[in-house]
Amino acid sequence: MNLRYAKHPEQGNLVLTDFNCASFEKRLGVGDYYKVIWAKENPITIGIDGYLVNLEKDQVLFCTPFNMIQIEPFLKGASSIIFDREFYCIRDHDHEVSCNGFLFLGSSAPTIVDLTKKERKSFELHFMFFEEEFETQDHIQGEMLRVLLKRLLIKSVRLLKKTIIDPTMEQSKIDIIRQFNLLVEANFREKHKVSDYAELLNKSPKTISNLFTKYNNKTPLQVINDRIILEAKKLLLLSEKSSKEIAFDLGFNEASHFSKFFKNYADISPIHFKKNTLNIY
């Protein structure tokens, strides 16, 4: 199955696929896509940012255009919604679904949500509605698909909120964490300290750390480092830049500092990471 909406370039693209095809373009599309990948029938394995992620049955993965995805031809057991910014920009429409910096992170550890039996039925209905809408090709098809996508994202946001360590956490505090994540995305090349972002948020570093303790098992520093590592991996794999050039691109004054940081965080040197990983892309 590979159903695609792409009426006009300015209206963007949305794809409903099960990845059961050989073509890379049909599996993942060509361009910068958000991806909602559901291990619907059985466990699946996907390459993300240079490492393998194992999704158990009824786990749903949310990836941004920043995540490098590798999916083998004829993958079985998955269903996925793939869309670009032109079809639905989560930043411009954040007031509608509140998923920017929450469901979709610029992090090397994409968000994963587990579905219960009840939630699985809900997702089955959502995907069925998508399939039905692809059968009706009229002038409002794009808008109908957007409505369905928004509904799916809102549902997913609600599910993710159930996984927060402190489920009574106020929305205003969750929004601070979302803002932190978005600020990291915009500034990770220059700002590497929690105190840098606390200042931008007019909060103390301790306040930010306490909020993350109630939110999940990651510290705010881990979020920053995740994003730096993700960009480092992308540059190592997709550019011709040397480790020294990448170090300076990412705000390190010395290449040796970058190499030490990368090895401490990724358990492998930048050079060996590149050699060991290129063969899967």
Side-chain angles (χ1 to χ4, degrees):
M1 176 184 65
N2 192 74
L3 305 174
R4 179 182 296 270
Y5 173 84
K7 294 291 184 181
H8 306 287
E10 63 273 14
Q11 293 184 12
N13 297 269
L14 180 138
V15 179
L16 175 63
T17 180
D18 59 7
F19 299 124
N20 191 17
C21 51
S23 166
F24 178 85
E25 180 177 355
K26 288 184 177 181
R27 291 199 306 278
L28 287 172
V30 176
D32 294 332
Y33 287 91
Y34 292 92
K35 307 164 193 72
V36 181
I37 303 173
W38 175 19
K40 183 179 179 181
E41 304 298 339
N42 49 256
I44 61 174
T45 300
I46 301 173
I48 302 179
D49 303 326
Y51 62 93
L52 297 178
V53 172
N54 298 311
L55 286 183
E56 298 299 325
K57 181 180 177 181
D58 285 331
Q59 285 189 325
V60 185
L61 180 77
F62 298 85
C63 297
T64 74
F66 297 107
N67 295 118
M68 298 179 297
I69 308 296
Q70 192 267 343
I71 293 178
E72 294 299 322
F74 302 110
L75 178 73
K76 295 182 179 180
S79 290
S80 182
I81 296 291
I82 301 172
F83 62 98
D84 59 18
R85 292 184 180 93
E86 288 72 26
F87 184 84
Y88 191 76
C89 180
I90 63 169
R91 182 184 63 188
D92 293 347
H93 296 90
D94 189 57
H95 63 284
E96 296 178 339
V97 294
S98 299
C99 65
N100 196 20
F102 187 57
L103 269 183
F104 295 102
L105 304 171
S107 168
S108 57
T111 302
I112 296 176
V113 172
D114 293 280
L115 302 182
T116 64
K117 289 183 178 180
K118 180 180 179 180
E119 290 157 355
R120 174 187 169 87
K121 291 181 180 178
S122 178
F123 263 64
E124 287 177 339
L125 285 173
H126 276 84
F127 277 72
M128 182 186 72
F129 292 149
F130 273 111
E131 286 190 56
E132 288 182 350
E133 192 54 44
F134 274 103
E135 296 175 0
T136 306
Q137 298 186 12
D138 55 22
H139 69 286
I140 62 170
Q141 183 189 33
E143 187 55 36
M144 286 295 293
L145 288 170
R146 286 185 187 88
V147 169
L148 291 173
L149 177 62
K150 285 190 284 186
R151 184 178 178 185
L152 180 67
L153 294 178
I154 290 170
K155 174 68 175 178
S156 300
V157 166
R158 290 172 175 171
L159 293 179
L160 183 56
K161 285 182 178 178
K162 294 180 180 179
T163 69
I164 295 174
I165 290 177
D166 181 2
T168 65
M169 194 173 186
E170 298 172 5
Q171 183 61 45
S172 61
K173 294 181 178 179
I174 294 175
D175 286 341
I176 292 174
I177 291 174
R178 292 208 304 135
Q179 292 167 23
F180 180 92
N181 290 330
L182 295 175
L183 285 170
V184 170
E185 184 57 46
N187 299 281
F188 68 89
R189 291 177 180 84
E190 298 84 24
K191 300 182 185 299
H192 295 178
K193 299 178 180 178
V194 175
S195 57
D196 295 331
Y197 297 95
E199 183 177 353
L200 292 174
L201 291 166
N202 294 316
K203 304 291 181 183
S204 70
K206 184 176 181 180
T207 296
I208 300 298
S209 295
N210 288 341
L211 287 177
F212 270 85
T213 299
K214 295 180 179 180
Y215 177 66
N216 63 17
N217 292 318
K218 273 193 176 182
T219 68
L221 183 59
Q222 284 177 311
V223 172
I224 298 168
N225 289 344
D226 275 353
R227 187 62 187 94
I228 297 170
I229 287 292
L230 169 60
E231 195 67 17
K233 288 179 177 179
K234 290 181 67 176
L235 291 172
L236 286 166
L237 296 176
L238 302 179
S239 77
E240 298 299 323
K241 292 184 177 182
S242 66
S243 291
K244 183 176 181 180
E245 290 172 315
I246 292 172
F248 292 146
D249 282 351
L250 296 178
F252 291 86
N253 294 325
E254 299 289 341
S256 60
H257 294 167
F258 165 69
S259 294
K260 183 178 180 180
F261 167 83
F262 191 98
K263 188 170 184 178
N264 286 343
Y265 209 74
D267 294 323
I268 190 173
S269 70
I271 293 175
H272 285 97
F273 168 80
K274 184 171 184 174
K275 289 181 179 178
N276 294 347
T277 309
L278 276 176
N279 64 337
I280 73 169
Y281 287 99

